Structures are given as C-alpha cells and as structure tokens.
C-alpha cells in the first residue's frame, strides 16, 4: 500500500527526459496565479486558446476539485502565504458540493482537498475530506451479486439511469478518497467500499484484452472483449483507476496491478507514446492533451509501483509524453499579440459531440500536467 497524498513536491524532468520540468512547472504556476486573479471566487472550466479568457462556473461543476487542486499544488510549491490563502479558501468552498448526487464528488474532495497537504490547515481540510467521503459512501449501491459500487448519480444530466451506472472517469478519485479517509478517520467500511468499487470497475469496465469501457451497468454481463477502442480520455481514466487501486488499497489484489499494466500497454500500442486524438476512431482529428496528461501522470505512478525493466519502461513512456505536452502544447512566454497564454496546456478537447471547447485549455489537463511535473523523482 502506498499513500498517494502529496506533500512538498520536487520537480522532475531534466535534460535526459527531453524537457525542463522546473521551468515548465514555474510557467504553469504563473498561469494559475493569473487565472486566480481573473476568475475571483468562480471556478475556471476551459479557456480560449487565443485570448486565455476562461469560461467559468459558480460552483465548479464536476471540475471544481481540479481548480482547488491546482491552487494547492501551487501553494505547496511556492510556500507563498497568498497562494496558500487562495487554496484554503477554494477548498473550503467545495464543502457545499457534498450534497450533489454524483460520483465526481470523489474528484472534488480528493484532488481539491485530500491529495495535496498544506501546512497548518490539517483540521479544517480533514473535516472537508470526511464530509465528502461520508456523502460519497452514502451513495453506495449493491451490484446484485454481493459487491458494491458508487454509481454515476443522477446529477450532471445522468438522471435515473445514472443511479445504476458505473463510470471510470471518477473511479481513481473515488478509490483514493474512500481508502484515505477510511484510514485517517477510522472508518474501515469506507476502505472496504473503496476496494469494492475498484473491483466493480475491474469486473465491468475492463475487458480481458485491456480495453476500457467508459460506463457499465453492474448486473449486465461482464465485457468479454475484444471491445471497441473509442475514447482516449476514458481509457486514461481507467488506467488511473487501476493504478490507484494497486497503490492505495490496504491489501490490493494482484489483478489490479496486472490490469493496470495491461491497459497501459494498450494505451502505448494505440498512441505510440504520442498525444492522443480526441477519439481513437479519428486518428487525424483534434488532439486531447488532457487525456495525455492523465495518462502521463498515471504512467509515472505505475512506474513507482514497479521495479526493474518495467518500471524503467513506463517511466520513460510517461516522461516522453510529458516532453511532448511541454514541447508542443504548453504556452510559451511570448509577448506577441495573439500568442497563446504562457503556461496554458493547449489543445484539450472537452466535448467533440457538442463542439464544446475542442481545442482549448482544460482545467483538468492543467492539473494533471502540473501534478506530473511536480512529482518527486524516484530515489536511487
């Protein structure tokens, strides 16, 4: 079992990795600070690549935890009191989201509160974490065969069907939040639920050949595979969920690590280690750097779970993908009129079907890239 909580991180990425991680992280942190000045108490969702202006929400939608998480990563890195005050205030503002009927509460309270520790605020943050975990645990459902899971929920447009549907998007955060909060707050039932949810994801959303299904209905037949490869971001979410289960559960079954490796190998086969398109069915279509950022950070975490040649291989793949994101898609310092904002991870594709933000800066893409850049280098 490996605790996934971040403390004071040191930037990885040296010349041997093909990018300057320290410089890239500093550029992103300045972007976070400018964004904080621009949005005030609102939550940024996606930004126009030409102007850098953010589309925001009042309560954070499903992405509020990523904005709070970016502020917390920034404060942990800089130690600046103003950065810390912003982060603490934004985390405090997440507490009202505990009542929302959605599994993305896992994202809200894991990335936005529990994952990155800040000095001097443990008691307040832990209360927020406890409230979020308790509300999430209360939404548990039986899968009809002795297991339990946290469904998508009825919010965010899912309606009644969402109350009996399992999704991969928030699974890594759900597993992390429940296992971490269960240990910290003496709630073994939450830890058991974290393992049950991970098992449900493995059983219903992962095919034997390593394909990730974005959603599934527990009670329906398990996927037999080979399945259709469609959505890269969903595949990256699945990789993250399995890697998290292998690292965060108290006594993880070997099947989680095996599936994490299998889905990651499929990712590398499908993408060739490059930034993926928005859909595997549209290989020449718009890229989705947010999917790349999720996958890259996950590969570094998977590498830290292993030893020997496989650890080297996944770490090299993760750093290689980060190098592409930083070198080809991260806004550079440039005063020219119309230049993309410095420190913005560009070319994220939010929702191609509706035409929403198909080549934009996405708040969760920023989060996962900065988290990867600030990830401690392995010892030795």
């Amino acid at each position: 079992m490996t605790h996934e909580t971040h403390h004071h991180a040191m930037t990885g990425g040296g010349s041997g990795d093909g990018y300057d991680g320290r410089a890239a992280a500093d550029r992103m942190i300045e972007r976070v600070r400018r964004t904080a000045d621009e949005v005030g108490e609102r939550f940024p969702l996606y930004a126009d690549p030409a102007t850098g202006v953010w589309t925001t929400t009042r309560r954070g939608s499903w992405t509020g935890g990523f904005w709070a998480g970016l502020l917390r990563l920034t404060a942990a890195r800089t130690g600046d009191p103003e950065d810390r005050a912003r982060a603490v205030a934004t985390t405090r503002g997440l507490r009202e989201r505990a009542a929302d009927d959605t599994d993305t509460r896992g994202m809200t309270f894991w990335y936005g509160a529990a994952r990155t520790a800040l000095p001097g605020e443990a008691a307040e943050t832990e209360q927020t974490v406890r409230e979020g975990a308790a509300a999430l645990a209360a939404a548990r459902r039986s899968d009809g065969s002795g297991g339990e899971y946290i469904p998508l929920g009825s919010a965010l447009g899912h309606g009644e069907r969402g109350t009996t549907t399992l999704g991969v998007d928030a699974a890594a955060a759900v597993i992390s939040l429940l296992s971490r909060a269960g240990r910290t707050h003496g709630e073994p039932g939450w830890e058991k639920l974290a393992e049950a949810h991970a098992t449900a994801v493995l059983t219903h959303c992962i095919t034997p050949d390593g394909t990730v299904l974005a959603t599934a209905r527990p009670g329906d037949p398990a996927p037999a595979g080979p399945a259709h490869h469609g959505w890269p971001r969903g595949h990256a979410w699945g990789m993250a969920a399995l890697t998290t289960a292998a690292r965060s559960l108290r006594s993880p079954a070997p099947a989680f690590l095996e599936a994490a490796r299998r889905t990651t190998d499929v990712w590398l086969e499908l993408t060739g280690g490059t930034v993926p398109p928005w859909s595997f069915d549209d290989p020449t279509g718009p890229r989705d750097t947010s999917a790349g950022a999720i996958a890259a950070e996950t590969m570094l975490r998977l590498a830290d779970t292993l030893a020997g040649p496989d650890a080297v291989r996944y770490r090299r793949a993760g750093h290689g993908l980060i190098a592409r994101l930083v070198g080809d898609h991260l806004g550079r310092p440039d005063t020219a009129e119309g230049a993309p904002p410095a420190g913005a991870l560009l070319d994220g594709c939010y929702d191609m079907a509706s035409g929403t933000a198909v080549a934009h800066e996405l708040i969760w893409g920023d989060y996962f890239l900065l988290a990867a850049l600030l990830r401690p280098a392995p010892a030795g």
Side-chain angles (χ1 to χ4, degrees):
M1 178 185 69
T2 302
H3 293 280
E4 285 286 334
T5 303
H6 290 171
H7 294 280
H8 295 288
M10 297 294 292
T11 304
S15 58
D17 297 315
Y19 63 97
D20 185 340
R22 184 177 297 276
D26 288 345
R27 207 186 317 164
M28 294 193 76
I29 283 171
E30 286 308 307
R31 173 64 173 157
V32 171
R33 287 170 156 174
R34 290 192 302 272
T35 297
D37 290 338
E38 176 186 332
V39 304
E41 295 183 357
R42 294 180 67 83
F43 290 84
L45 182 58
Y46 56 83
D48 185 280
T51 65
V53 175
W54 287 92
T55 294
T56 63
T57 65
R58 183 183 67 82
R59 299 179 68 244
S61 186
W62 63 274
T63 63
F66 295 115
W67 174 231
L70 275 168
L71 293 171
R72 297 179 73 84
L73 288 173
T74 295
R77 170 66 186 271
T78 67
D80 184 275
E82 185 175 349
D83 291 335
R84 181 187 178 281
R86 282 172 167 167
V88 171
T90 304
T91 294
R92 185 183 301 125
L94 298 175
R95 294 176 74 168
E96 67 177 271
R97 301 303 305 275
D100 295 353
D101 182 22
T102 168
D103 65 339
T104 62
R105 285 176 290 190
M107 293 173 163
T108 299
F109 292 100
W110 173 245
Y111 300 115
R115 192 184 195 197
T116 302
L118 296 178
E121 55 126 22
E124 180 178 2
T125 298
E126 284 307 321
Q127 181 60 28
T128 301
V129 170
R130 182 181 181 87
E131 291 174 6
L136 194 63
R140 72 180 74 194
R141 287 191 69 100
S142 169
D143 66 1
S145 58
E148 292 183 310
Y149 68 101
I150 305 297
L152 293 176
S154 61
L156 302 175
H158 293 302
E160 184 63 27
R161 183 175 177 82
T163 64
T164 56
T165 300
L166 174 68
V168 298
D169 296 25
V174 168
I175 296 163
S176 294
L177 181 68
L178 290 173
S179 59
R180 151 77 160 73
R183 288 193 299 273
T184 302
H185 296 284
E187 295 283 355
W190 295 353
E191 289 191 80
K192 291 179 181 178
L193 180 57
E195 183 170 7
H197 188 75
T199 300
V201 170
L202 177 60
T203 301
H204 298 287
C205 295
I206 311 299
T207 71
D209 71 334
T211 300
V212 177
L213 307 181
T215 60
R217 303 287 297 280
D220 289 351
H228 174 68
H229 300 294
W231 189 39
R233 192 159 74 236
H235 195 102
W237 287 131
M239 291 162 54
L242 296 166
T243 298
T244 295
R247 290 176 60 81
S248 298
L249 298 177
R250 188 178 292 273
S251 300
F256 292 123
L257 183 56
E258 293 166 5
R261 295 170 65 168
R262 189 164 65 249
T263 54
T264 301
D265 289 342
V266 169
W267 169 276
L268 292 172
E269 179 182 345
L270 291 170
T271 66
T274 64
V275 177
W278 75 276
S279 171
F280 290 128
D281 295 329
D282 187 11
T284 62
R287 303 295 94 182
D288 183 10
T289 55
S290 74
I294 296 164
E297 201 236 7
T298 296
M299 285 189 281
L300 296 185
R301 293 195 297 123
L302 178 58
D304 289 348
T305 313
L306 300 167
D310 281 342
V312 172
R313 180 167 66 92
Y314 292 128
R315 186 168 294 113
R316 183 179 294 126
H319 283 303
L321 184 47
I322 294 168
R324 291 176 181 271
L325 292 168
V326 169
D328 299 336
H329 302 279
L330 190 67
R332 302 175 182 275
D334 194 335
T335 57
E337 185 176 352
L345 179 59
L346 307 168
D347 305 313
C349 184
Y350 187 175
D351 185 2
M352 180 63 76
S354 66
T356 302
V358 298
H360 287 58
E361 178 184 10
L362 307 176
I363 198 65
W364 64 93
D366 284 352
Y367 174 83
F368 282 104
L369 180 56
L370 184 58
L373 290 169
L374 294 178
R375 189 163 186 82

